[in-house]
Amino acid sequence: MPPAIIGRKVGMTRYFTEDGKNIPVTVIQAGPCVVTQVKTAESDGYAAVQVAFEDVKPRRSTMSVIAHDAKAGSSPKRIHREFRCDNDAEAEGYELGQEVKVDCLAECKFVDVTGTSKGKGFQGVMKRHNFRGLEASHGVQRKHRSAGSIGGGGINLGTGPKVKKGKKMAGQMGNERVTVRSLHVVSIDEERNLLLVKGPVPGPNTGVLFIKTPTRLYKPKANAQAGKS
Amino acid sequence: MELCGRTANSRDTRPMSNNTTPIEIVESIVADQLKGNDDLPLMGPGDTIDVHYRIIEGEKERVQIFQGVLLSMNNQGINRTITVRRIVANEGVERIFPLHSPRIARIDVIRRGDARRAKLYFLRDRIGKSRRLRDQRRGQKHIQVWEQSHAQKVAEAKQAAKDAEKSRNEAQDAAK
């Protein structure tokens, strides 16, 4: 089964378990997707499988994408993503045009979800990096939300003519690729291609998400996945 | 959808690829978790109610009754909650219950109070006798009609459940 699927965030709600536990869940419309390309070390230098999601009107697409999807026997798709495989044999296990549905995650108790976070625009250091700002009084003037000193900044020393690289400053916040790791899978609706995960995921409602099997799990979650108590 | 106070975004009402809007999808998911009208009594702010709340302690389960004045009803759909206030040892205690939680076994209306507003937060500042509300006089006919039909529905549901069990037992006996 493929370890990944493309979806769209639907929205959040709450979910009561039978014993009355109240779980905040995000509803994701996951798939159905189509395998549109199989990459091997020979053909592309690495092993991977590309999947595509959601039909697009041909006139909204480009000839190159239409032809690319047609090779897999598929109608033109809007979103293409790929996941890496360990070796060629694994990648070749997938056929062009093979359908990928949400039941590919049926055995997963946890998933990683990647999306694009909501853009917050150009933000100061207090909102962007949780700095505490300067004091309200004691002679502070017009600098209550500023970062304070940024150091002399030798490239790696903290002294010298330049500011240290990666120094936390004001700037664009949000609208970047974010991965939330090992989210609990609450339930899967194979009929309607819906996936319910516990907690929030990045991006607005109807934002595109890439859902994968978890890359790594911490011990309690790994035990839960393996079925140990 | 459970909008939690914000207004519907155009994103929430625009159809997705399978021609349903996000709102419809979320509503369909929570639909079977919602309690029906028959499972809940007719109640409003000002009423004194008994909330039968299931408490699970390890293996055992018991029901605790929280009696108090219904201060406000908040949110819509599956997020619907009620705020209930009671006085314990001269100290005001307020609890917020999610109405559709399976932990709420039952709600009984003890007294119907006359409230002229939806949120009775002014009761928090009241002390002694002024804390009490007048009994409701308006709209009693309406309530009586509802209660009668509700009682009938509950009885019918009970009867139906009984019949179903009976027929099931008979079928089992026949199979033997």
Side-chain angles (χ1 to χ4, degrees):
Chain A
M1 277 299 188
I5 193 166
I6 310 171
R8 272 187 190 279
K9 178 170 166 179
V10 174
M12 289 195 72
T13 181
R14 64 169 86 199
Y15 190 89
F16 291 111
T17 59
E18 273 175 24
D19 59 346
K21 254 185 204 156
N22 173 12
I23 307 174
V25 290
T26 306
V27 184
I28 299 170
Q29 195 213 328
C33 296
V34 176
V35 174
T36 47
Q37 194 180 5
V38 175
K39 297 184 174 182
T40 57
E42 197 185 316
S43 63
D44 296 88
Y46 64 101
V49 173
Q50 186 190 69
V51 288
F53 171 59
E54 208 169 85
D55 282 333
V56 60
K57 284 179 189 165
R59 71 181 171 85
R60 291 269 176 210
S61 190
T62 62
M63 279 312 289
S64 49
V65 173
I66 295 171
H68 175 82
D69 289 345
K71 271 188 212 164
S74 152
S75 53
K77 299 288 182 187
R78 193 188 303 272
I79 301 147
H80 298 76
R81 295 277 189 279
E82 68 177 41
F83 57 88
R84 294 290 282 265
C85 296
D86 293 340
N87 48 45
D88 285 2
E90 193 190 331
E92 280 161 358
Y94 301 101
E95 289 171 30
L96 279 181
Q98 181 185 344
E99 199 175 41
V100 180
K101 296 191 113 180
V102 68
D103 55 8
C104 70
L105 299 169
E107 282 171 16
C108 288
K109 284 185 178 159
F110 302 93
V111 287
D112 288 353
V113 178
T114 304
T116 305
S117 62
K118 281 186 186 174
K120 306 278 191 291
F122 191 104
Q123 293 298 334
V125 285
M126 284 180 73
K127 187 179 169 102
R128 190 172 181 223
H129 298 301
N130 293 330
F131 283 15
R132 54 177 277 273
L134 300 188
E135 289 183 49
S137 67
H138 291 299
V140 178
Q141 286 188 328
R142 305 180 296 279
K143 289 188 173 188
H144 308 287
R145 294 182 64 87
S146 77
S149 169
I150 52 172
I155 292 295
N156 274 320
L157 292 173
T159 56
K162 285 184 180 177
V163 175
K164 196 170 177 179
K165 288 203 172 173
K167 185 82 205 146
K168 288 176 182 173
M169 291 194 196
Q172 165 69 29
M173 184 183 174
N175 192 18
E176 61 181 349
R177 184 186 156 102
V178 177
T179 303
V180 197
R181 293 203 187 279
S182 52
L183 288 177
H184 189 88
V185 176
V186 176
S187 81
I188 288 177
D189 186 341
E190 292 175 14
E191 211 171 282
R192 293 190 295 166
N193 298 307
L194 295 177
L195 174 70
L196 265 61
V197 297
K198 181 177 173 182
V201 302
N205 289 353
T206 70
V208 175
L209 301 169
F210 193 42
I211 304 128
K212 291 168 287 187
T213 48
T215 47
R216 61 172 180 274
L217 290 170
Y218 291 110
K219 216 169 186 183
K221 287 186 174 177
N223 285 344
Q225 175 69 55
K228 290 177 213 159
S229 60
Chain B
M1 177 149 45
E2 315 310 330
L3 293 169
C4 304
R6 72 191 168 85
T7 50
N9 193 311
S10 63
R11 279 180 187 279
D12 298 330
T13 50
R14 205 183 302 149
M16 297 176 75
S17 59
N18 56 0
N19 276 335
T20 46
T21 65
I23 288 185
E24 285 165 357
I25 295 175
V26 171
E27 274 177 356
S28 68
I29 281 177
V30 299
D32 56 340
Q33 299 201 18
L34 293 177
K35 284 179 184 166
N37 261 343
D38 299 345
D39 300 334
L40 294 168
L42 188 68
M43 58 182 172
D47 294 349
T48 304
I49 56 172
D50 267 3
V51 181
H52 297 246
Y53 196 70
R54 282 201 194 105
I55 292 175
I56 297 156
E57 292 167 330
E59 296 282 289
K60 277 188 210 161
E61 189 188 293
R62 64 190 175 86
V63 174
Q64 195 183 58
I65 299 173
F66 189 90
Q67 189 184 74
V69 180
L70 182 54
L71 279 198
S72 69
M73 303 177 81
N74 308 303
N75 301 333
Q76 292 298 325
I78 191 140
N79 289 332
R80 191 91 164 137
T81 56
I82 51 174
T83 309
V84 184
R85 180 181 172 88
R86 69 175 294 191
I87 308 296
V88 181
N90 248 341
E91 193 68 35
V93 176
E94 277 178 29
R95 277 189 77 172
I96 299 172
F97 294 99
L99 211 52
H100 294 284
S101 166
R103 291 233 175 123
I104 290 192
R106 204 171 87 223
I107 296 177
D108 291 336
V109 179
I110 306 298
R111 275 182 61 193
R112 296 197 181 272
D114 187 21
R116 308 195 76 163
R117 55 209 71 224
K119 313 284 178 201
L120 307 181
Y121 299 139
F122 65 87
L123 288 182
R124 290 172 180 164
D125 304 328
R126 297 240 175 137
I127 304 160
K129 277 187 181 174
S130 65
R131 201 185 279 138
R132 294 174 309 179
L133 290 168
R134 270 187 313 176
D135 275 351
Q136 189 178 341
R137 293 186 193 282
R138 293 170 296 149
Q140 283 300 336
K141 218 193 251 171
H142 185 65
I143 291 169
Q144 270 173 9
V145 169
W146 189 90
E147 275 180 347
Q148 271 168 8
S149 74
H150 180 72
Q152 203 179 339
K153 267 182 200 164
V154 170
E156 274 171 11
K158 256 186 191 171
Q159 191 61 38
K162 234 183 211 175
D163 290 347
E165 201 176 339
K166 208 177 174 188
S167 63
R168 208 181 307 133
N169 286 343
E170 276 169 6
Q172 272 178 0
D173 288 343
K176 274 176 193 171

